């Protein structure tokens, strides 16, 4: 971590909390030499991420090819307002992970992964809904990405004004995002 290393954490707990709270990630890959990024529902079960896409679609082709992925989660929690334009900031949490996906082919893991995300959104809901049928399973490509490499950064707190700006008659503080 080169920029603002004091904001970095290599502890899995805050990273996992962010994944579990957001469940929306941007998944980046290279296709035909050009970068692509797709916002997707991505969730965690133990030390693995899961995502699903159309079976046979362009993303599933990239994932099946074993391409390296960059997956990012980010949320702005508050805006930090300062007395100078330069020092305005945000209180945020961000996570960038790298990895390769492998297809989930076993029905038991397929069901466990979908049970996990549905019950994370609303506890006990999996037991109330119909499980995916054969046609739905065939149309859905589910992938597992081990969480092995990445970094988490966050910022909290108030303004960091320069001492010479403190006398300026401008409000400074934190407002909700």
């Amino acid at each position: 971590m080169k920029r603002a290393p004091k904001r970095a954490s290599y502890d899995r707990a805050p990273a996992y909390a962010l994944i579990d709270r957001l469940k929306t990630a941007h998944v980046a890959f290279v296709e035909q030499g050009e970068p692509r990024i797709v916002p997707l529902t991505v969730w965690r079960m133990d030390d693995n991420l899961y995502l699903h896409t159309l079976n046979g679609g362009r993303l599933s082709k990239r994932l099946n090819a074993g391409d390296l992925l960059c997956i990012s989660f980010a949320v702005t929690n508050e805006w930090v307002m300062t007395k100078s334009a330069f020092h305005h900031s945000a209180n945020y949490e961000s996570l960038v992970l790298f990895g390769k996906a492998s297809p989930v082919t076993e029905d038991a893991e397929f069901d466990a992964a979908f049970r996990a995300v549905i019950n994370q959104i609303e506890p006990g809901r999996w037991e109330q809904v119909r499980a995916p049928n054969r046609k739905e399973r065939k149309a859905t490509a589910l992938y597992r990405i081990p969480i092995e490499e990445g970094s988490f950064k966050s910022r909290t707190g108030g303004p960091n004004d320069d001492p010479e700006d403190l006398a300026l008659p401008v409000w400074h503080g934190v407002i909700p995002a």
Side-chain angles (χ1 to χ4, degrees):
M1 187 69 56
K2 292 184 179 16
R3 176 130 167 79
K6 66 182 181 205
R7 295 182 183 165
S9 170
Y10 297 94
D11 180 12
R12 287 180 182 250
Y16 283 8
L18 184 63
I19 295 166
D20 294 347
R21 188 168 88 236
L22 297 183
K23 292 182 189 54
T24 300
H26 289 87
V27 178
F29 55 96
V30 175
E31 181 181 55
Q32 297 177 354
E34 296 183 2
R36 306 279 189 247
I37 190 162
V38 182
L40 293 170
T41 300
V42 176
W43 66 99
R44 183 184 66 84
M45 191 169 67
D46 301 320
D47 293 327
N48 295 295
L49 293 178
Y50 287 85
L51 63 85
H52 70 290
T53 188
L54 175 67
N55 198 0
R58 79 178 215 205
L59 180 56
S60 68
K61 289 176 184 173
R62 299 286 23 105
L63 298 176
N64 285 332
D67 290 359
L68 183 62
L69 305 172
C70 179
I71 304 161
S72 70
F73 297 82
V75 63
T76 300
N77 298 313
E78 298 172 313
W79 296 110
V80 181
M81 313 301 284
T82 63
K83 292 180 180 259
S84 75
F86 179 78
H87 290 297
H88 278 67
S89 189
N91 287 333
Y92 67 90
E93 298 165 86
S94 67
L95 173 64
V96 176
L97 299 169
F98 303 95
K100 293 183 179 184
S102 55
V104 173
T105 58
E106 299 296 323
D107 285 349
E109 184 178 3
F110 187 98
D111 286 350
F114 280 102
R115 179 184 307 111
V117 69
I118 289 170
N119 282 343
Q120 287 171 17
I121 295 167
E122 183 181 340
R125 186 158 180 86
W126 179 262
E127 289 70 28
Q128 299 172 14
V129 299
R130 175 183 59 75
N133 61 33
R134 285 281 152 215
K135 182 179 177 183
E136 293 163 339
R137 287 174 195 271
K138 187 174 181 179
T140 304
L142 177 65
Y143 294 90
R144 175 188 345 92
I145 304 155
I147 301 172
E148 296 174 343
E149 181 184 357
S151 62
F152 175 85
K153 281 178 74 173
S154 66
R155 184 198 191 279
T156 59
N160 293 322
D161 281 302
D162 291 333
E164 61 270 18
D165 292 335
L166 292 176
L168 292 173
V170 178
W171 177 85
H172 66 155
V174 176
I175 59 175

